[in-house]
Structure formats: C-alpha cells, structure tokens
Amino acid sequence: MFTLKIDGSAPLSAASVQTLAAVCDQAEGLPGSGVVTVHVTGTPQVGWTGGLDVALVSKWERVLRRLERLPAPTIAVVSGDIGGAALDVFLTTDFRIAAPESRLLVATDGEATWPGMAAFRLVQQAGAAGVRRAVLFGVPIHASQALALGIVDELADDPADVLDATTELVGRLSGKELAIRRQLMFDATSTSFEDGLGPHLAACDRALRRVGAVEVS
C-alpha cells in the first residue's frame, strides 16, 4: 500500500508534480494488487497563484490524469476543508472518506474561481446543477452535501476506521481490471451505446478468458 499526503495550503510547485509522479511510478510498477491512500487537507492561501505558469499547471494536470488512471484502487481521506491541489487529488480517487465537518472549496484567483480541471471533474461527477454555485462563485460544498451528490462516499467521525475496512475491501481487487472498469465508466458519459459496445465486449471477453484460464489450471 502507498500513502501520500497532500496539503492544499502549500503552493503548487515542480516538487508537487514530482511527488505525485513518484507515487504513480511505484503503483504502476507494482505487480498484482495494491492500494494508494491519499490524505488530503488544507486550502490555498491568498496569492497562491503567484509564481504559477501554464507549463506547471499542465504538468500537474497530466500527473493527476495518471493518478486517475492507475492500475490500482485509490482512496482519499479528507480532514477539514480542502481546496487547490488537495481538491484536485481528491476528485481523481476511487473512494472518498470525509469527516462530517469537512468542506470542498474551489479556489479563487482573486477575481474568479480557478478554471482548472477540478471544476470539470465536479461537473462530470455531480452534474452542473449540484455544483453550480461552487464552480461559479466558490461557495463551499459541505461534507453532507458532497455525500448526497455522490462526490463523497462515506462520512466518518474517525475516518481511520472506515479506511481500514475500505482498504481490505478494495485491496482484493485486481488493479488492472479495476482500471479497465474505471475507463469504461468514464467513457460512458460521452460515448454512444454503439461506440461503447465494442470496448465493453472486449472487457467481457477478457474476463471470460481469465476465468476460463483459472478453471483449466
């Protein structure tokens, strides 16, 4: 199991990208099953965009996409308010556990909310109506609301207890097979039935071949 801590109050930097990339390298290189657990907390400070440029933001978004596609289950544990890099990472994970007092905040750049891919993921995962005020105006999404929207999977006064049970549950799954199911789920939001049928049938064929190989052995 790999554990990572993301502090949303820390400025986004090349080191942030390298740290997340290193975890992705390890998880991608691990044969069999493994679980990546991310503890996220903190929101950006005033002036957090100082020193940022599009090249760095692009690198960050690319490594987030790697995390989102890992051949391993990913679990996020939320403490307090999260925004910025913490919210970015949180929204790429498979299972999310939050304390009841936690809130999700779309960061602002001083004039408007930050137009990064966190806004994209919020809308894709919860629908525009459910997150409209957060994306447009930076209104916090409280943990109970996030649970109702499906952005958070479970609320817990002691997230560590839920984390143990969840890790045991998802740790039994094949990371490679989970990655295929995840991609099929992502594609279903933008693909027609006719275009989606082929990849789903290919995944079914893969599963049947795997089961058949086990029965033969």
Side-chain angles (χ1 to χ4, degrees):
M1 183 173 73
F2 305 100
T3 301
L4 177 67
K5 294 184 179 180
I6 300 292
D7 182 359
S9 67
L12 186 61
S13 65
S16 307
V17 175
Q18 292 168 1
T19 298
L20 193 53
V23 171
C24 291
D25 288 341
Q26 291 177 311
E28 289 167 350
L30 181 69
S33 299
V35 178
V36 176
T37 302
V38 187
H39 296 265
V40 292
T41 188
T43 60
Q45 305 296 312
V46 175
W48 68 279
T49 56
L52 275 184
D53 57 36
V54 172
L56 176 58
V57 174
S58 178
K59 290 177 182 178
W60 175 245
E61 294 291 0
R62 286 201 297 270
V63 77
L64 285 171
R65 190 60 166 161
R66 281 185 67 192
L67 178 65
E68 194 170 38
R69 292 177 165 181
L70 279 185
T74 52
I75 304 172
V77 180
V78 182
S79 300
D81 291 349
I82 62 168
L87 179 62
D88 287 339
V89 171
F90 165 81
L91 291 171
T92 67
T93 56
D94 297 317
F95 197 95
R96 296 105 181 241
I97 306 164
E101 71 276 6
S102 298
R103 301 184 303 169
L104 316 182
L105 296 96
V106 178
T108 65
D109 61 11
E111 294 187 355
T113 52
W114 180 246
M117 293 301 284
F120 176 89
R121 290 188 174 92
L122 281 171
V123 172
Q124 279 222 322
Q125 295 174 21
V131 298
R132 174 177 50 83
R133 294 192 304 158
V135 171
L136 294 180
F137 310 121
V139 175
I141 301 174
H142 292 265
S144 57
Q145 180 187 3
L147 180 67
L149 290 170
I151 305 170
V152 165
D153 294 295
E154 194 158 348
L155 299 184
D157 291 319
D158 187 357
D161 289 341
V162 178
L163 174 61
D164 290 341
T166 304
T167 300
E168 182 178 354
L169 172 67
V170 303
R172 301 170 186 161
L173 304 175
S174 161
K176 290 183 178 179
E177 293 301 317
L178 175 67
I180 293 172
R181 307 304 185 274
R182 189 195 293 129
Q183 190 60 49
L184 291 172
M185 180 180 68
F186 288 159
D187 292 344
T189 63
S190 59
T191 304
S192 68
F193 176 88
E194 290 74 17
D195 289 339
L197 181 59
H200 277 267
L201 288 176
C204 290
D205 182 61
R206 177 186 171 92
L208 290 172
R209 289 175 182 273
R210 188 180 67 256
V211 171
V214 172
E215 290 177 347
V216 170
S217 62

